[in-house]
Amino acid sequence: MIDLSVFTALSGIDLGALQDKPTTLTPGQSEAAQPLWTSPDGQLEIGLWECTPGQFTADRSAAAEFCYFLEGRIVMTHLDGTRKTLGPGDAILLPKGWKGTWEITEHTRKIYVFFEG
């Protein structure tokens, strides 16, 4: 039988205390995350993440990431200078090897999917 995992009320799940964002470019920026499901081989993880306003670097050398934004607003800048503004209802796929910066302009919450394969 196939096991179906259902996640409800994702905007209201408590992610715990916010912690300092390690890759921040803005002192005082903080984040929290909560994995919801991980594949048995550990190559796929689905979870929730939130972050306070500020800017940080992002490096997806180890895994591709799919993001679906529930709340907030971000400006994502790719290494080639391309900028994308994303908010609630938007999604983006960052392929393995992607690097750039994120500017969180409003406290943001997203669903993430990391794929290390």
Side-chain angles (χ1 to χ4, degrees):
M1 179 199 286
I2 296 174
D3 177 28
L4 297 176
S5 296
V6 177
F7 310 105
T8 59
L10 295 175
S11 292
I13 291 177
D14 181 11
L15 303 183
L18 294 166
Q19 304 291 322
D20 290 341
K21 175 86 179 122
T23 61
T24 191
L25 301 171
T26 307
Q29 187 176 31
S30 56
E31 68 180 348
Q34 177 65 52
L36 299 172
W37 182 84
T38 303
S39 65
D41 64 5
Q43 290 195 353
L44 183 67
E45 179 181 291
I46 300 168
L48 289 173
W49 173 88
E50 68 179 54
C51 191
T52 61
Q55 188 175 17
F56 63 90
T57 60
D59 181 343
R60 296 296 170 262
S61 295
E65 181 184 11
F66 172 81
C67 306
Y68 179 81
F69 296 93
L70 299 168
E71 307 173 1
R73 188 145 318 273
I74 72 159
V75 178
M76 182 176 293
T77 304
H78 306 273
L79 285 181
D80 69 2
T82 303
R83 295 169 55 92
K84 297 289 182 188
T85 300
L86 302 162
D90 293 334
I92 192 165
L93 174 65
L94 303 173
K96 191 172 184 177
W98 183 88
K99 294 179 183 180
T101 59
W102 292 43
E103 181 183 356
I104 308 293
T105 59
E106 297 174 11
H107 191 110
T108 295
R109 180 176 279 224
K110 71 176 181 179
I111 300 167
Y112 69 81
V113 179
F114 280 119
F115 179 65
E116 293 182 12

